Amino acid sequence: MTREAGRRDGLDEQAVLMVAGLADLTVSTLSSAVGTLRGLLRRSDTAELAAQAESELMARGRLALDRYAAVSPAHLEILARHAQARKAADGV
């Protein structure tokens, strides 16, 4: 067996192990999520939980849009407005 063939077998084995580990993690996460979902569906206040989840998602969406979409005013524009406000307050 050459050195290159041994390295290729090692990489193939690593890839298989990584995929198997990822699949196991996915299955365990999904089964946990399904168990949680079943527990939520058995509750009597499911409608209230759904309404709270909706309002929380809307608030998160609003915050995300404000964080990434809003353009803050230019620094010099803010200074000019403060100067105008001072002049108006001083009566000049």
Side-chain angles (χ1 to χ4, degrees):
M1 179 188 269
T2 65
R3 180 184 285 177
E4 190 171 305
R7 191 178 327 149
R8 176 160 173 91
D9 289 341
L11 290 177
D12 290 344
E13 184 180 352
Q14 285 180 350
V16 168
L17 290 174
M18 292 283 286
V19 169
L22 184 60
D24 183 54
L25 177 65
T26 302
V27 168
S28 67
T29 301
L30 285 176
S31 65
S32 175
V34 167
T36 303
L37 184 61
R38 283 183 184 160
L40 287 175
L41 290 176
R42 290 183 190 136
R43 293 180 60 144
S44 62
D45 59 346
T46 306
E48 291 176 24
L49 284 175
Q52 288 175 353
E54 180 184 1
S55 65
E56 183 176 326
L57 283 175
M58 299 221 8
R60 283 177 173 263
R62 191 173 298 116
L63 288 172
L65 286 178
D66 288 346
R67 185 180 324 128
Y68 295 113
V71 178
S72 59
H75 180 69
L76 292 176
E77 180 69 26
I78 293 172
L79 290 176
R81 288 181 185 171
H82 283 291
Q84 276 184 332
R86 272 197 189 149
K87 284 182 182 179
D90 292 340
V92 176

